[in-house]
Amino acid sequence: MNAQPTTVSGPDQTERAILAAAEETGPGCPCDVIVIGDATGTLTATALDWTGGEGGRVWSWTRSRARATALAAQFPADVAAQRLTLPAGPDPVPLKAFLAGADAHLVIGRLPKGLAALETLARELVAYAQAADRTDLEVILGDRVKHMSRSQNAALATCFDEVRATRGVGKSRALVASSPRAEGPAAQDPVGPIPVTIAGTQRELVLQGGGGVFGGAKADAGSLLLLTHLDRAVTAGEVTATRAVDLGSGNGVLTAYLAAAFPEALVLGSDDDADAVRSTRATLAANHLERPNVRITWDDALAGEPDTSTDLLLLNPPFHDGTGIDATLVQHLLDAAARVLAPGGQLWFVHNSHLRYRGQLEARFTQVRERARDRRFTVLSAVRP
């Protein structure tokens, strides 16, 4: 396994730590290789080099629709030759279903952000090992040391008998899990009821949040602040909607509000994250809000939606890349909001107060108003010119 990845830039420290551990194992026979959460394409490229000419395939799985699209664009020939399998289609595919037909004993990838996501991944990989009869499955997942903890070892140990850490490569290292257990712990997505005022009436919504979805089954404080002030505007008749969108639906709290507050409207909840899409759908089902005019899509910044196609859009965007704040993450989402809102349509936007996004909205919208502000969050509304 001395082939170098066929990428323009070399591996970063975390990728080097993962690949160094994999060099000790090797994919073995002409077998497949599974790649999890490839952020740059380097791990997928290396796996393709390992399996090139040997009859093996690479199964590169990601929760992100944007990353799946980027990988498809990066390796079109390998996809066309069926040497590389990627998530595709309008709906996210659970990992076990995605891996149907794979024959791999080696998994390489980045550690998911968050223990819940790691626990879910471990269960899904054990389910694959059982279905494929791969008792020799070995999983190598890496990250920067500062983002790692012993809790990650414990999460893997619920599904694998052997878990160890590798030596560091720079400031990164990998965890190696092997000997999958015959039966992993049953998956139990968290469920949480929250009180919400909808069209002036107090109601309880049941949230469901699985895997790595932001907030799990809890309503984050930013969403609750937005909903409190949005509902006041809805009750006063200031906000109406025949087409409403929740961009970045997460666990579905904002989508559920829209479906309940505007029963006749076309409602769309959309997210780039597969766990969020699954959680939003589960939340709608738990609250009996599923109906033909409510859609949930796995999409990157509403790329599949036409211009000027909605008149109300809610946005509680991500502000963290891993554990650090990245204020640039919201830019393409604001661009998407400006594109899909019809003239006169309203954006309701909540953000961390210290990030001060008002100028960004004023560059794209008119009638920007501060609706609420507390120590942590600010709610703004704006109108599409």
Side-chain angles (χ1 to χ4, degrees):
M1 281 191 358
N2 295 318
Q4 294 300 309
T6 55
T7 53
V8 174
S9 60
D12 62 24
Q13 279 191 354
T14 296
E15 290 162 341
R16 287 200 295 270
I18 295 165
L19 296 176
E23 288 283 350
E24 299 177 5
T25 301
C29 59
C31 294
D32 300 347
V33 176
I34 298 168
V35 180
I36 300 293
D38 188 355
T40 67
T42 297
L43 298 180
T44 299
T46 304
L48 286 167
D49 287 344
W50 290 344
T51 59
E54 299 293 333
R57 297 170 63 186
V58 175
W59 303 72
S60 189
W61 184 82
T62 173
R63 289 164 36 197
S64 166
R65 181 60 183 268
R67 282 304 308 152
T69 301
L71 288 168
Q74 194 169 355
F75 304 102
D78 296 295
V79 173
Q82 298 185 345
R83 295 187 57 236
L84 172 61
T85 300
L86 295 167
D91 291 308
V93 178
L95 181 57
K96 181 181 176 181
F98 173 76
L99 293 176
D103 181 25
H105 82 84
L106 178 63
V107 179
I108 60 174
R110 292 179 181 263
L111 278 163
K113 306 298 182 184
L115 286 178
L118 179 58
E119 290 166 356
T120 298
L121 175 62
R123 287 194 300 264
E124 291 175 331
L125 289 174
V126 165
Y128 157 73
Q130 294 170 355
D133 193 26
R134 297 303 312 220
T135 58
D136 59 346
L137 186 71
E138 184 160 275
V139 179
I140 301 171
L141 303 173
D143 204 346
R144 303 283 283 177
V145 172
K146 65 181 180 180
H147 298 153
M148 299 175 71
S149 70
R150 292 189 180 275
S151 298
Q152 294 169 321
N153 299 56
L156 288 170
T158 62
C159 294
F160 294 86
D161 285 332
E162 298 180 21
V163 179
R164 63 179 178 85
T166 67
R167 297 179 62 181
V169 175
K171 296 181 179 180
S172 296
R173 69 172 65 241
L175 297 181
V176 181
S178 56
S179 300
R181 294 184 176 177
E183 292 185 6
Q188 294 183 339
D189 289 341
V191 178
I194 62 162
V196 177
T197 302
I198 301 175
T201 301
Q202 186 83 358
R203 289 182 53 174
E204 183 177 86
L205 290 178
V206 176
L207 304 184
Q208 298 205 0
V213 66
F214 172 73
K218 298 179 181 179
D220 68 285
S223 289
L224 292 178
L225 185 66
L226 183 150
L227 288 181
T228 296
H229 293 272
L230 173 64
D231 195 68
R232 292 175 184 172
V234 169
T235 305
E238 181 186 347
V239 174
T240 60
T242 58
R243 299 163 297 171
V245 171
D246 173 16
L247 174 53
S249 60
N251 60 21
V253 59
L254 299 184
T255 308
Y257 172 87
L258 290 173
F262 302 105
E264 304 301 320
L266 299 175
V267 172
L268 170 65
S270 185
D271 206 293
D272 176 68
D273 182 80
D275 286 348
V277 170
R278 180 169 62 87
S279 297
T280 297
R281 288 175 174 165
T283 290
L284 291 174
N287 293 282
H288 309 290
L289 292 170
E290 297 172 299
R291 56 178 188 263
N293 62 343
V294 177
R295 292 189 298 128
I296 310 300
T297 61
W298 186 44
D299 201 358
D300 175 22
L302 303 175
E305 301 303 314
D307 295 356
T308 65
S309 58
T310 191
D311 46 32
L312 175 64
L313 189 145
L314 309 186
L315 177 58
N316 181 4
F319 297 102
H320 292 81
D321 182 8
T323 59
I325 291 178
D326 184 350
T328 67
L329 293 173
V330 76
Q331 305 302 325
H332 76 298
L333 299 178
L334 290 176
D335 289 341
R339 180 181 64 81
V340 302
L341 276 169
Q346 291 193 42
L347 166 68
W348 281 67
F349 172 70
V350 60
H351 64 88
N352 295 74
S353 291
H354 69 278
L355 294 178
R356 304 189 183 281
Y357 275 101
R358 183 164 187 145
Q360 296 292 332
L361 267 66
E362 290 174 339
R364 296 170 173 87
F365 302 93
T366 61
Q367 301 178 42
V368 178
R369 291 177 55 187
E370 182 178 295
R371 299 284 185 159
R373 183 181 180 88
D374 62 19
R375 180 177 57 84
R376 297 174 60 194
F377 297 101
T378 296
V379 177
L380 301 173
S381 69
V383 176
R384 171 74 154 82

